[in-house]
Amino acid sequence: MNGTDLPDGQGGRARPAGRLLDELGLRSAVGADALAAGEKTFSPVHLGTQDVPIGALLDALRRDPDLLPPRTGHLGNWEDIALGRSGPMDFNTAICGGGHGYPLIYGFTRTEAATEGGDEGYRPGSLIEQGKRDTLDLYTWDGRAFVRRDRDRPLFCPLTQAGVDGGLVPLVDLHWRRMRTIPGYRFRQWATVLVEHGPLVTDMLTLLIEQADATAKQGTRLAELISQAVRLDGDVARCDLAADGPGYVLDGYRYPSARALAEAAMVLVRALTDPAAFFEQLPGLPPVLPVMSLQLTNVLFGLLDTHRPDRPAGAPESPFITHVHWGARAMAGCPPRRGGYLTRRSTVRSLRAIASPLVRRFEQAAPVAFVLLPAQVFMLCPPSTSPADADLLADLFRTVRAARPDAAHPTALGWLGEHGERLSPYLRGRFRPGTGVPSDGVPREPALPVEPDGFRELTFRQASALVAAFEEVLG
């Protein structure tokens, strides 16, 4: 395929890559030479393991007007996040409200429920404002009509409706309308990016499905492309997917071809961008639909330029794409205590197996250098309503910077043992496990994140180690 065959707006001159890596001294860490030579097609670098000052990264982002890393948050309750009173979710406030990134919303999540598996962070099955939670009446399809469900099990958000003012509203629409009224936050749906490149994404997924399991050691497994299946009643779970001649059997339902399976996966993606149209066609859909995997999603984050949301589509950066991404607890974690899933050896193998055939076959694709930014470092920025916390943390940062570069974690543990009780209950509560947007009914004043003196001078490695120590002591 040549430049004249690219979709509208995707022709033109390739953009140079790697300037950010040069500015931050990351070319070696990410394996830029191997990416440029085509020896690798996907290579991540976790800044939580690197001695890059936080201020150096933020300054580099400011100097490049086209570069704005996504912060992949979830569908749900963002009102108190935007007002700086969301406890453990305040790192979103610092990043998205502070102009260091933008909220790219991932909608393949589940409502919170009595059993595990729902999204307890953003709680999409409820409406939360000023710390007060109102649980929604949730409805899904039973084969004949939409019926009210109890909250015993999580429900897949794209297939769920909420009872509002005597009628039913798609849960996605309900939250999206509320989120779009929040001033200063430029929300974008992850699904919108895929739909804008719908034919290309469908072609890519079709190719990957056809080639899956071709080689046991290096190839892509079907489960790395389609990780779950959802039934029309909103029940989603790990799935059994196997080739059957030219077709594929997903939890007992046979799709006649790889393209049919890929198109069904895109039907679910479009459920997030046009929920009303999706629910109109739902009764006629197959009884089980494929859910695109996180591995494939992460590769597409880079290939589809989600780090340059305002730049017109064009040929990919050359010879490789530098994708910058704010990851939170699951994706990035906080080394050395938790490294997140993205840079695990098994995950990287899977991501490379997905990227390799796409780079070989599609001119719109190029190798990806994935620069993972740990969003949780901003948990060290207290709210403006707690000025004493800022002074205490500035003292901690001075102590850490005076110690050996590799001593941040034990230094923080010692400091917390001596001074931790002086921190506000609000700040301490940020580091408790399993908590999300507060819904305890306690009114809290709106606040802005405050960077204590010395915050930007910390390296990402030091800041991640501090967050790890805080979780260890206060969690």
Side-chain angles (χ1 to χ4, degrees), residues 122-416:
Y122 295 85
R123 297 181 179 176
S126 306
L127 299 182
I128 301 174
E129 198 160 0
Q130 298 185 38
K132 184 178 182 296
R133 178 186 180 197
D134 292 320
T135 57
L136 293 165
D137 294 334
L138 303 177
Y139 294 76
T140 65
W141 185 251
D142 73 347
R144 294 175 297 177
F146 287 96
V147 298
R148 184 177 175 183
R149 303 296 185 180
D150 58 32
R151 305 183 76 90
D152 286 344
R153 62 183 177 93
L155 301 171
F156 196 55
C157 290
L159 272 72
T160 303
Q161 301 205 71
V164 178
D165 297 331
L168 296 182
V169 177
L171 186 61
V172 171
D173 254 353
L174 178 63
H175 282 296
W176 195 245
R177 291 173 190 170
R178 298 177 79 229
M179 291 160 62
R180 291 177 67 179
T181 66
I182 297 174
Y185 276 63
R186 40 175 306 166
F187 293 101
R188 191 181 190 195
Q189 286 215 56
W190 156 82
T192 299
V193 180
L194 269 63
V195 169
E196 288 173 350
H197 299 83
L200 174 63
V201 173
T202 303
D203 287 347
M204 286 179 165
L205 183 51
T206 299
L207 172 70
L208 290 169
I209 292 170
E210 289 173 343
Q211 294 189 356
D213 295 333
T215 57
K217 291 184 178 180
Q218 298 298 325
T220 306
R221 304 178 184 96
L222 283 171
E224 293 171 320
L225 304 172
I226 304 299
S227 57
Q228 297 177 307
V230 61
R231 299 193 175 275
L232 300 188
D233 65 355
D235 186 27
V236 62
R238 293 286 178 184
C239 60
D240 181 18
L241 175 61
D244 180 40
Y248 295 84
V249 177
L250 176 66
D251 282 356
Y253 180 83
R254 188 177 189 276
Y255 285 90
S257 65
R259 180 163 293 275
L261 185 62
E263 290 172 345
M266 288 300 293
V267 166
L268 268 188
V269 173
R270 291 187 177 89
L272 293 169
T273 61
D274 193 351
F278 172 79
F279 281 111
E280 285 183 7
Q281 64 173 318
L282 185 145
L285 292 177
V288 59
L289 295 170
V291 181
M292 196 178 294
S293 71
L294 269 179
Q295 292 102 311
L296 176 57
T297 297
N298 285 318
V299 172
L300 293 175
F301 282 148
L303 295 182
L304 300 181
D305 266 1
T306 61
H307 53 287
R308 297 187 182 276
D310 294 326
R311 188 161 187 165
E317 297 170 63
S318 177
F320 59 86
I321 296 166
T322 302
H323 176 70
V324 190
H325 199 112
W326 291 107
R329 295 177 181 89
M331 178 186 275
C334 49
R337 188 167 184 257
R338 291 183 295 105
Y341 69 78
L342 189 102
T343 52
R344 291 175 191 153
R345 183 175 299 178
S346 60
T347 305
V348 173
R349 185 216 66 81
S350 176
L351 297 172
R352 285 178 181 158
I354 291 171
S356 293
L358 302 182
V359 171
R360 287 194 302 266
R361 180 68 66 88
F362 294 93
E363 195 165 309
Q364 301 95 322
V368 176
F370 198 112
V371 182
L372 180 60
L373 313 176
Q376 284 186 274
V377 299
F378 285 100
M379 294 177 75
L380 300 172
C381 296
S384 55
T385 48
S386 301
D389 284 339
D391 293 337
L392 283 167
L393 289 170
D395 176 69
L396 169 61
F397 299 164
R398 284 190 294 270
T399 304
V400 168
R401 296 202 314 276
R404 298 189 323 273
D406 61 349
H409 185 255
T411 300
L413 291 175
W415 186 92
L416 284 166

Side-chain angles (χ1 to χ4, degrees), residues 50-76:
Q50 303 295 314
D51 294 319
V52 175
I54 293 173
L57 180 278
L58 299 183
D59 289 344
L61 295 180
R62 190 181 68 250
R63 286 192 296 268
D64 187 340
D66 290 329
L67 180 59
L68 191 64
R71 164 63 209 111
T72 36
H74 292 178
L75 182 78

